[in-house]
Amino acid sequence: MDGTTYNVKIWKTAVYKGKRKTTHTVRWELDGKEWRAPFDTRALADAFRSELVSATRRGEAFSLTTGRPASHQSGASVVNWYDFAVQFADAQWHRTGGNNRKNTAKALMATTVALLRTPPTAFRPVDVRTALREFAFNTRRRKDARPEVATILKWVERNSLTMAAWEDPAKVDEVLRAVDLKLDGTRAAASSVKRNRRILNVAMEYAVKHRILRTNPLPKGRGAAPKTSSAVDKRSLLNPEQAARLMGWIRRRPRGGKRLHAFFATMYYAGPRPEEVVAMNVADVRLPDENAEDQWCELLFHTAQPEVGKNWTDDGEIHEERGLKGRASDDTRVVPGHPSLTRILREHIKAENLKRGDLLFQGEKGGMLAGSVIRRAWRTARAEMLSPDEFTSPLGKRVYDLRHTCLTNWLNDGIPPAQVAEWAGNSVPVLLAIYARCISGHLRDLKQRILARGDLPEIAG
């Protein structure tokens, strides 16, 4: 329970006459702290003030968290935030994937730290954050928490505010400011802020649904969350010469170079997501006969295996098997493969002696190709083959930029956006929102089309 008091003073309603409207503000004091409630009309203000006066006459206690009489409180004052957050994390666990579980845990961790009555003094802050993120809000691992972790979590539970904190607008603003910051005190990236706000919104709606809160207390409308752009940074795209240098170096890499070269070539020529490539089997590649005139191949994508970490999957595996992003669980898509990719994949399958049911791209021990291996090879190739200015720039900084480059090339080659969207596994609106700024090379033709319309006719005076 939050603190309460009977030391209440109710003041006269204040009236402020502005240029556009008049505001009537009810004012009262609890243990020396002033509270205010503004209303648009005198009638509303008088009615609310009468409720406060009646509560004092009935001998009701007032909450020091919300400033309201006990009879005005929702069920929030009897629900501990930490207990609610654990319950919410468990509810989300069974309906979301590994990455969403991880992001939910991070958002709840930051919020819980902001809702502690006092900062931790007996524990290191990093240990408190780790205990919350890795155990408290991890449904599968919570029961395996070590004794020292369990001690931290018990302290957090005792020192967490109740859900009534969300009924205090000033406290809500304070919590959101804390959640929006990184550990060094600087503001987090707009995408991170927006993701955390989205997760907290889901949590607040969950609280409303279970009658813990009356309404969602988070701000709505313009300015509630920072604006983000999904558009690709043109500086991250690779030209053919740069792509050839990077993938050529990877192919010459003594340890697994040819295998990784085929992986990156698949992304460059066919534009799949990395988690879709690692999930491919040999049977998903339809190669033409070596003597066929048409050497285009076909790639079938039907499964994704994102790497989310063994702590966040149901079975303890590093990768989590799921359907294609944004599609039904059993949906598939077929993408044409450039003749150059046909040659690379044919050589790869022969060199690795792969059978039809084998993974197309395997790790050194035959399992799934690890994301750390992929990223390390790409990072080393950039360091070796790019100039210092290129290396520090966004140019090909992420493996995902190979997909961005492929889709941009298709659009610039004049392939209709609807077809590119189908091959990419996107909707047309999403595709254009991401890549419209990268379409180039058509300006001269477009100008000629505009000129072909002609100018205004001469009108006789």
Side-chain angles (χ1 to χ4, degrees), residues 272-390:
R273 300 176 178 90
E275 61 266 27
E276 296 169 344
V277 185
V278 297
M280 293 180 69
N281 291 324
V282 175
D284 298 327
V285 181
R286 301 170 182 171
L287 297 174
D289 292 336
E290 291 190 48
N291 298 323
E293 183 178 351
D294 183 356
Q295 283 297 303
W296 284 81
C297 65
E298 283 187 341
L299 306 182
L300 176 65
F301 297 103
H302 53 84
T303 307
Q305 290 268 5
E307 188 178 77
V308 298
K310 61 183 181 180
N311 291 338
W312 302 99
T313 57
D314 291 322
D315 56 7
E317 295 293 329
I318 295 176
H319 292 82
E320 180 180 61
E321 183 172 342
R322 63 175 67 168
L324 300 179
K325 185 176 180 180
R327 298 200 174 197
S329 59
D330 57 349
D331 204 355
T332 62
R333 74 175 192 273
V334 178
V335 181
H338 192 279
S340 296
L341 180 60
T342 299
R343 174 179 51 80
I344 293 170
L345 292 180
R346 183 181 286 124
E347 293 175 357
H348 167 71
I349 292 171
K350 287 182 179 179
E352 297 288 322
N353 194 28
L354 298 176
K355 303 298 185 292
R356 183 175 175 80
D358 293 341
L359 279 173
L360 182 60
F361 302 108
Q362 302 177 4
E364 290 186 349
K365 297 181 180 180
M368 190 161 289
L369 190 58
S372 58
V373 173
I374 297 167
R375 292 188 294 272
R376 184 166 58 248
W378 186 253
R379 186 168 56 247
T380 307
R382 290 185 75 248
E384 292 290 333
M385 300 308 297
L386 298 182
S387 68
D389 288 341
E390 288 175 333

Side-chain angles (χ1 to χ4, degrees), residues 66 83 142 152 162 246 260 389:
T66 66
D83 293 336
R142 190 182 305 125
I152 293 174
T162 70
L246 291 170
L260 288 168
D389 288 341

Side-chain angles (χ1 to χ4, degrees), residues 4-8 10 51-63 68-71:
T4 59
T5 183
Y6 294 93
N7 184 13
V8 184
I10 301 175
E51 290 181 14
L52 299 184
V53 172
S54 297
T56 60
R57 289 173 179 170
R58 292 192 300 268
E60 280 193 42
F62 279 60
S63 169
R68 305 299 174 91
S71 59

Side-chain angles (χ1 to χ4, degrees), residues 413-424:
D413 289 340
I415 298 174
Q419 183 61 73
V420 175
E422 170 63 25
W423 291 342

Side-chain angles (χ1 to χ4, degrees), residues 156-214:
V156 170
E157 183 177 13
R158 292 194 306 270
N159 285 272
S160 291
L161 295 174
T162 70
M163 291 293 289
W166 293 102
E167 296 179 331
D168 179 3
K171 188 63 177 180
V172 173
D173 290 342
E174 179 186 328
V175 171
L176 292 180
R177 284 195 298 270
V179 171
D180 292 349
L181 299 179
K182 296 189 291 187
L183 293 179
D184 60 5
T186 60
R187 187 171 175 83
S191 58
S192 297
V193 172
K194 193 170 184 178
R195 181 179 62 241
N196 288 340
R197 296 287 183 97
R198 183 171 61 249
I199 292 169
L200 287 181
N201 258 304
V202 176
M204 294 301 102
E205 293 297 335
Y206 183 85
V208 172
K209 179 180 178 181
H210 287 77
R211 299 182 180 180
I212 298 172
L213 295 175
R214 286 193 176 95

Side-chain angles (χ1 to χ4, degrees), residues 102-123:
K102 189 187 305 183
N103 290 331
T104 297
K106 290 179 180 178
L108 293 177
M109 172 201 70
T111 306
T112 301
V113 171
L115 286 172
L116 291 174
R117 298 177 189 276
T118 58
T121 54
F123 312 105

